[in-house]
Amino acid sequence: MDKAVTDKLFADLNSSLKERFGLDEQQLRSVSAAGQNTLTQTLKSYVMKNGSAEIEQILLGQKAYEVSGLKTEADKDIKAAVNATGIEHPQKEEIGQFALSKAVELLVKSFAASAYSKDLDGICGFIGIDKNLLKMVNSPMGKLFGKFM
């Protein structure tokens, strides 16, 4: 993904976290680092196991993240990641869930506002992934392999 897009996304996310939860700069850095790593790992793992159809639907606005299987997986991962940051905050659990939902919301908005076509080609270009690789992952053999990983 384009560095300018990710920089803006995380600047907006940090602003939202600071405003909603009153996090200081150190807490923001900890949550942001944990969130970036968790989101990346969760997305990779989810696509390897389930293919990319649901993520495509979310980016195209055809399915809400809040009712997706991705959210279910991400909630588990973010809970562990936020606990590992060691930050002390009475709403620590809520911070992780909010951060992840907000990051996905900002990502969807960024894609919608981008010049990329609103189809699989555009998604691949926006994310920076080879379409042929994605087709391989989405194949029945790719999904089967992903479930064993």
Side-chain angles (χ1 to χ4, degrees):
M1 191 177 315
D2 185 297
K3 184 172 173 14
V5 171
T6 57
D7 287 349
K8 175 153 179 24
L9 188 142
F10 283 106
D12 290 348
L13 177 60
N14 284 346
S15 175
S16 294
L17 285 167
K18 191 173 193 173
E19 182 180 310
R20 176 143 181 200
F21 298 102
L23 299 180
D24 63 34
E25 292 303 314
Q26 179 60 39
Q27 290 172 321
L28 280 174
R29 280 193 294 277
S30 294
V31 170
S32 182
Q36 287 178 31
N37 292 335
T38 301
L39 182 58
T40 301
Q41 293 306 314
T42 299
L43 284 172
K44 285 179 185 177
S45 172
Y46 190 81
V47 169
M48 287 296 291
K49 291 177 185 172
N50 303 293
S52 66
E54 188 171 64
I55 294 169
E56 292 168 33
Q57 291 171 342
I58 292 168
L59 281 173
L60 294 171
Q62 299 167 346
K63 185 171 193 170
Y65 166 74
E66 296 301 322
V67 295
S68 68
L70 175 62
K71 182 183 186 318
T72 303
E73 286 295 312
D75 281 349
K76 293 180 218 169
D77 295 343
I78 198 67
K79 191 177 289 187
V82 171
N83 284 331
T85 64
I87 68 166
E88 293 301 322
H89 194 283
Q91 295 172 296
K92 186 161 57 171
E93 300 269 331
E94 188 181 337
I95 289 169
Q97 291 173 339
F98 173 83
L100 203 52
S101 292
K102 188 70 173 178
V104 172
E105 174 191 321
L106 292 169
L107 189 62
V108 170
K109 285 181 181 178
S110 294
F111 177 67
S114 75
Y116 290 98
S117 61
K118 305 311 179 230
D119 56 15
L120 184 57
D121 289 332
I123 291 170
C124 288
F126 179 74
I127 294 173
I129 188 171
D130 183 281
K131 185 176 175 181
N132 292 323
L133 178 63
L134 194 55
K135 284 181 181 178
M136 187 171 35
V137 168
N138 284 333
S139 73
M141 280 303 285
K143 290 179 187 173
L144 180 64
F145 180 73
K147 290 190 191 303
F148 288 116
M149 293 296 285

